[in-house]
Amino acid sequence: MGVGRFVYTPILPLMHAQAGLSAEAGANLATANYVGYLVGALAGTLLPRLVRSAAVLRGSLLGLTASLAAMPLAHSTTPWLLLRLAAGAFSALIFVIAASSLLSHLRDHPAHLPGWAFGGVGAGIALSGLLVLVLRTVGTWRVAWWASAALAAALALAAWGLRPEPAPRPTSSAAHTHAGSDGPGTKRWFNTLFASYTLEGIGYIIAGTFLVAAIEQASPGWIGSGAWVLVGLAAVPSSAVWAGLGRRWSRPDLLLAALGVQAVGIALPALVGGVAAALISAVLFGSTFIGVSTLALATGAHLRFPRAVALLTAGYSIGQILGPLIARPLLHHGYHQALILASVVVLAAALAALVLRIGFPHHVPAPGDLVRRPTTAPGRRQG
């Protein structure tokens, strides 16, 4: 998913130079991918069976790989738009299925295990960035797409055996009654989490779209490309690190901290400038944006809100569509104002995380627990 979703960023300059792609058309291709991501996330929300289907996962892996391989075969903007739209939808389905699987199968395992799996997105970013960095001097934009498709195919083969989230077990009517009575309280915290994660989608995508361009405005070209690889490398261990910190601090506390660090990282190139600031910014951004996703989705799963992963991913993808639209009026004066805006939006997400901390339920029993607990001997069951 990291390759299929994000390889477009380092290939885009090659398409500008060699394929005649205009800046406006390039932005439209990025928007098509964000719209496709929303379509995939909504499909996972409205049709929860998709999230539990191995066939859908494997079909999405094949579809995403094919969409990369088909990019060099097209010669105009319209088919490229459709291919990036499809890539976004397949990416969202893969992410929702994988995240739901991780958070269900590894619920009782150490938190760093799903964290390392989420780091795969960062590994995909780093690998695709390195791939294009090498090929840009010896190959064309077409070779870069085909090479990324080959890389995605190898990774799809490795992911082929992933087991999706199992279907929920039927519970008694009493359990449903108790679960229903717990719903409103859980919903209040979920709504706050949803607002925070949607704001993060807006701020993150502005930075993710324009960070490299902003760095290249004031630094040599290789610094921008190198910073993108550094973003991916920093993202690989980030989720596991943030999850490991959960042994000492609560998820809302960590979510607040990660968003605060990310806001600083996004603003740094605009406020300070220079090579050092650019590289530090890449590390701070890369070490938090996937960590925020891990923490937010894990918090949604902790609240046991129905279809939490799919709903949060849908809100996040809506934010990704809004982000470039909100920032576009600021681009006439370069990219620095857009980065400042992104930092302010991420700070707003941090404020929502601060509200989330107030009275947060650190133990949310499963519906069946509410029925079984009275029949369990005292001292035999712990929360």
Side-chain angles (χ1 to χ4, degrees), residues 194-219:
F194 182 85
S196 177
Y197 197 47
T198 300
L199 288 169
E200 159 68 0
I202 296 173
Y204 139 78
I205 204 60
I206 294 174
T209 302
F210 303 121
L211 183 63
V212 172
I215 290 172
E216 288 186 352
Q217 268 190 329
S219 305

Side-chain angles (χ1 to χ4, degrees), residues 351-371:
L351 288 177
L354 182 63
V355 174
L356 181 68
R357 294 177 67 252
I358 302 173
F360 184 80
H362 295 289
H363 173 68
V364 180
D369 292 346
L370 296 170
V371 177

Side-chain angles (χ1 to χ4, degrees), residues 220-236:
W222 69 268
I223 295 294
S225 300
W228 185 247
V229 175
L230 198 57
V231 166
L233 292 175
V236 173

Side-chain angles (χ1 to χ4, degrees), residues 136-199:
R136 67 185 300 168
T137 59
V138 297
T140 66
W141 68 275
R142 289 188 174 91
V143 173
W145 279 112
W146 279 324
S148 66
L151 177 59
L155 295 170
L157 182 63
W160 200 256
L162 179 71
R163 293 182 297 118
E165 175 188 17
R169 295 179 181 179
T171 56
S172 67
S173 59
H176 285 296
T177 300
H178 285 289
S181 65
D182 283 348
T186 300
K187 184 178 181 181
R188 174 166 64 91
W189 282 290
F190 181 82
N191 287 342
T192 305
L193 176 65
F194 182 85
S196 177
Y197 197 47
T198 300
L199 288 169

